[in-house]
Amino acid sequence: MISVKEAIIVEGRYDRIKLRQIVDTPIIETGGFRIFKDKEKQSLIRKIAETRGILILTDSDSGGFVIRNFLKGIVPESSLKHAYIPQLKGKEKRKAEASKEGLLGVEGVSAEVILKAVRSSGATVLNENSTADTGGIEKIHLYELGLTGRENSAALRENLLKKLGMPTYLTTNAMLSAVNCLYSLEELKEIVNDINNNK
């Protein structure tokens, strides 16, 4: 596993699951073509780009390049790096049949291919075979702050996401990645306390 400074932008959930085993950094999903209309997610990606930079890692098919080019248009070039996987023929194990273009996506290529793509992108590799300080906020902190595992956790998460200007549909894992890109644990505690005090 390598640690990189930049947050990685991928197309979907299975890409994120694959990357989490290989690269230690926040990983943000575009939701495929949903990103084109999702102003909240676009705003979140711009904020993350300003804070730590982003690395785009989309599939090597035409859809992946459409998403990549869209992101290039909404993020300053100085905050953006690109990782490319080769166009390899094949089918992901979980799928019944190959994609329209018959190419493997990010989820289907080997860890070695992904690591080579990330290293070749110019990403800021922090250290090899260890975990980076990707913000210090962990799931246990979300529980301690009442954001998970409590009766009113869903409402509190929604209020937090609204206050932070983030998409309110983010899953707990996606929210964790996003807040780690933008806030320290102490800042998050202050924001949650502020929400709780202004009920």
Side-chain angles (χ1 to χ4, degrees):
M1 179 173 278
I2 63 170
S3 301
V4 299
K5 174 179 175 274
E6 295 81 7
I8 299 180
I9 310 295
V10 296
E11 291 179 50
R13 178 167 58 123
Y14 292 99
D15 300 331
R16 179 178 56 81
I17 291 167
K18 177 78 175 222
L19 264 286
R20 284 179 63 200
Q21 301 166 28
I22 302 166
V23 184
D24 183 30
T25 195
I27 300 163
I28 310 297
E29 300 168 41
T30 67
F33 294 142
R34 180 179 185 174
I35 189 66
F36 301 153
K37 293 183 178 178
D38 191 337
K39 300 296 183 198
E40 290 177 317
K41 182 66 72 77
Q42 292 172 28
S43 174
L44 174 62
I45 289 172
R46 279 193 288 269
K47 281 183 192 172
I48 293 169
E50 288 170 17
T51 306
R52 65 189 300 151
I54 62 169
L55 173 64
I56 300 175
L57 180 59
T58 55
D59 294 349
S60 57
D61 60 7
S62 56
F65 277 91
V66 168
I67 293 168
R68 183 184 294 274
N69 287 329
F70 176 79
L71 293 171
K72 278 169 58 177
I74 67 166
V75 174
E77 195 174 330
S78 59
S79 303
L80 187 60
K81 292 178 180 168
H82 294 274
Y84 296 93
I85 60 168
Q87 291 188 326
L88 301 171
K89 293 284 186 189
K91 175 186 81 66
E92 280 84 6
K93 289 178 185 174
R94 71 177 178 87
K95 295 182 178 175
E97 50 190 63
S99 68
K100 190 165 67 172
E101 295 174 45
L103 300 172
L104 288 174
V106 170
E107 69 168 284
V109 299
S110 69
E112 291 74 26
V113 167
I114 290 172
L115 287 171
K116 184 176 180 186
V118 170
R119 287 191 181 103
S120 301
S121 71
T124 310
V125 177
L126 301 173
N127 47 18
E128 300 273 337
N129 298 316
S130 71
T131 52
D133 177 11
T134 53
I137 303 169
E138 298 177 14
K139 282 191 174 177
I140 186 67
H141 298 127
L142 299 184
Y143 175 76
E144 288 168 353
L145 291 170
L147 292 163
T148 60
R150 310 285 175 86
E151 191 176 320
N152 297 318
S153 292
L156 181 56
R157 275 197 312 276
E158 186 175 341
N159 288 335
L160 174 67
L161 290 167
K162 282 179 184 172
K163 187 170 182 72
L164 300 180
M166 294 183 185
T168 54
Y169 60 77
L170 289 181
T171 64
T172 303
N173 285 337
M175 182 186 77
L176 183 61
S177 287
V179 295
N180 262 315
C181 288
L182 300 167
Y183 301 96
S184 68
L185 178 56
E186 289 309 310
E187 289 169 329
L188 182 63
K189 284 179 179 175
E190 283 180 28
I191 294 164
V192 171
N193 286 337
D194 188 49
I195 292 169
N196 286 328
N197 291 334
N198 290 311
K199 280 183 178 176

